[in-house]
Amino acid sequence: MKIALVTGGSKGIGLQTVIRLLDLDYQVITCSRSKLSWQKAVDAHPELVSVDYQQADIANQSDIESLFEYIKQSYGQLNIAVNNASPALASRGSFHSVENSLLKETLNVDFWSQALCLKQELQLMPAGSAI
């Protein structure tokens, strides 16, 4: 069985990626901050019922650790990982007027969230896997 993880798979590019990987016969795992947004996606796309959905906010290190522990225990590996999720942004508004502290917070959280996911993914990926 081929296993794929798509973070932020409840809408937009992430949702379309989940649907495509299902079409390619992957067992797909996805996560999002909002279980309600995932339920709306399943209501609109009944084929998503086979996706293993886990509620997780990748801005929260303990959520990342729990998600990857679950994947390790349930599947033992990942063949594909798509790091699509983005944490909630602190720096809303036009770039030229965003406070530097908020911009720094957004960049820091977004970078570290992805870096921590990558670190966990690499530990679960056999040769020939892809991120």
Side-chain angles (χ1 to χ4, degrees):
M1 177 181 348
K2 301 176 291 183
I3 310 296
L5 169 66
V6 179
T7 63
S10 64
K11 52 189 167 186
I13 293 169
L15 176 58
Q16 293 307 310
T17 303
V18 167
I19 291 169
R20 179 68 177 135
L21 288 167
L22 281 176
D23 289 344
L24 294 172
D25 293 325
Y26 279 82
Q27 170 58 59
V28 180
I29 307 156
T30 195
C31 64
S32 70
R33 291 186 299 267
S34 168
K35 192 170 187 172
L36 179 59
S37 64
W38 177 248
Q39 190 54 56
K40 288 179 182 178
V42 173
D43 291 345
H45 304 278
E47 68 272 25
L48 296 175
V49 72
S50 66
V51 172
D52 188 344
Y53 173 80
Q54 300 295 309
Q55 187 172 0
D57 182 350
I58 67 162
N60 182 322
Q61 186 172 344
S62 66
D63 279 12
I64 291 173
E65 290 167 359
S66 295
L67 173 65
F68 283 96
E69 183 60 28
Y70 170 80
I71 293 168
K72 181 179 178 182
Q73 294 301 318
S74 299
Y75 300 98
Q77 71 174 25
L78 285 173
N79 303 103
I80 289 183
V82 179
N83 294 309
N84 174 71
S86 180
L89 302 178
S91 57
R92 297 266 182 211
S94 297
F95 183 77
H96 71 278
S97 63
V98 172
E99 290 181 39
N100 289 345
S101 62
L102 294 177
L103 182 59
K104 185 176 181 180
E105 178 183 343
T106 294
L107 293 173
N108 189 39
V109 170
D110 205 18
F111 171 80
W112 281 113
S113 298
Q114 304 306 330
L116 292 175
C117 285
L118 284 167
K119 189 173 181 181
Q120 295 283 340
E121 291 159 358
L122 289 170
Q123 294 174 34
L124 291 170
M125 297 185 122
S129 299
I131 296 175

